[in-house]
Amino acid sequence: DAAESYYRRAANRIPSRLYPHYLLYCLYCDMENDSLRRIEYENVMNMTIKTESPATRDLRKKVEEREKIYHFP
């Protein structure tokens, strides 16, 4: 999948950026790929952020809400 390739490249280029991991998480949810979704969930939730911002808090909140909505294990 082209989107996955581009998101993965973006995540590897700047590993401290949360957004590419968030996009990968969303993609894996849409693809119903639970193993990769879980990896990106952990990346998003455990990533050390250089400067916490409303945007990073919002992305993490969206990920948490999506996990609750879909009752992922």
Side-chain angles (χ1 to χ4, degrees):
D1 184 56
E4 180 181 13
S5 172
Y6 287 117
Y7 294 157
R8 180 67 50 209
R9 283 175 45 193
N12 290 335
R13 282 190 179 147
I14 308 175
S16 61
R17 291 279 168 93
L18 185 66
Y19 195 60
H21 291 285
Y22 168 76
L23 292 174
L24 279 167
Y25 169 80
C26 292
L27 178 68
Y28 294 142
C29 284
D30 293 343
M31 293 170 56
E32 298 180 1
N33 186 329
D34 290 340
S35 60
L36 292 175
R37 175 202 52 82
R38 189 67 189 167
I39 290 169
E40 289 307 323
Y41 171 80
E42 295 297 330
N43 285 339
V44 169
M45 300 311 291
N46 297 323
M47 182 177 285
T48 302
I49 305 297
K50 291 181 182 178
T51 306
E52 191 74 28
S53 70
T56 59
R57 287 189 292 274
D58 185 49
L59 291 178
R60 285 183 170 162
K61 183 178 177 185
K62 287 179 181 179
V63 169
E64 285 180 336
E65 289 172 355
R66 195 162 188 176
E67 288 286 301
K68 289 177 186 174
I69 289 170
Y70 294 106
H71 303 288
F72 289 123

